[in-house]
């Protein structure tokens, strides 16, 4: 039988290793330091260079981009203000990621029911203000 101090030392080492890897986040399944590709982010497109959503810069070069049900779209089909769902790997820093899929679906579709004023329409009972510069 091993002495008590040896068993306690082994236990302490195992606990320390477990704490280290859970606190540091470890590395991704592929060893890249990225989280597995099942992170979902939903938010408004804030900018480009990469696609910026919720302050995270997503590389979309190899992403499957779907716009209103049409696949094989590109970053050029996206606009600031669109609400998108991004499936990605997020870097440990939390401010960058690589998107595997980005989906945009129009939030409201229907016939225009009324034109109550300049820059305002009504669709499905919803009053919509069209701002200057809306594509």
């Amino acid at each position: 039988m091993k002495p008590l101090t040896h068993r306690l030392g082994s236990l302490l080492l195992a606990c320390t290793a477990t704490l280290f890897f859970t606190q540091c986040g470890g590395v991704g399944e592929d060893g890249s330091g990225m989280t597995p590709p099942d992170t979902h982010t939903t938010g408004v497109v804030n900018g480009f260079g990469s696609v910026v959503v919720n302050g995270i810069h997503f590389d979309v070069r190899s992403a499957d981009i779907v716009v209103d049900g049409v696949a094989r779209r590109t970053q050029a089909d996206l606009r600031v203000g669109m609400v998108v769902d991004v499936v990605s790997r997020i870097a440990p820093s939390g401010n960058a990621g690589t998107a595997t899929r980005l989906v945009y679906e129009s939030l409201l579709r229907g016939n225009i029911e009324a034109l109550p004023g300049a820059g305002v329409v009504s669709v499905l009972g919803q009053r919509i203000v069209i701002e200057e510069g809306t594509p």
Side-chain angles (χ1 to χ4, degrees), residues 46-81:
N46 305 110
F48 295 101
S50 50
V51 176
V52 183
V53 177
N54 296 339
I56 303 170
H57 294 254
F58 291 100
D59 179 350
V60 297
R61 289 177 288 186
S62 61
D64 175 25
I65 299 176
V66 179
V67 176
D68 284 329
V70 179
R72 299 186 202 175
R73 303 282 85 194
T74 67
Q75 181 175 325
D77 296 303
L78 303 174
R79 302 284 179 267
V80 170

Side-chain angles (χ1 to χ4, degrees), residues 12-130:
L12 181 60
L13 179 61
C15 290
T16 302
T18 301
L19 182 61
F20 174 80
F21 285 112
T22 58
Q23 293 302 310
C24 293
V27 294
E29 292 176 349
D30 60 2
S32 66
M34 304 286 269
T35 56
D38 60 353
T39 301
H40 289 262
T41 302
T42 300
V44 176
V45 174
N46 305 110
F48 295 101
S50 50
V51 176
V52 183
V53 177
N54 296 339
I56 303 170
H57 294 254
F58 291 100
D59 179 350
V60 297
R61 289 177 288 186
S62 61
D64 175 25
I65 299 176
V66 179
V67 176
D68 284 329
V70 179
R72 299 186 202 175
R73 303 282 85 194
T74 67
Q75 181 175 325
D77 296 303
L78 303 174
R79 302 284 179 267
V80 170
M82 289 179 157
V83 176
V84 296
D85 183 54
V86 184
V87 178
S88 66
R89 292 180 178 190
I90 303 290
S93 65
N95 62 0
T98 301
T100 55
R101 183 170 172 84
L102 185 145
V103 177
Y104 166 78
E105 288 292 330
S106 296
L107 298 176
L108 181 65
R109 291 184 187 166
N111 294 324
I112 295 176
E113 299 166 344
L115 298 168
V120 179
V121 296
S122 178
V123 177
L124 299 173
Q126 293 288 313
R127 182 174 181 265
I128 300 168
V129 176
I130 302 172

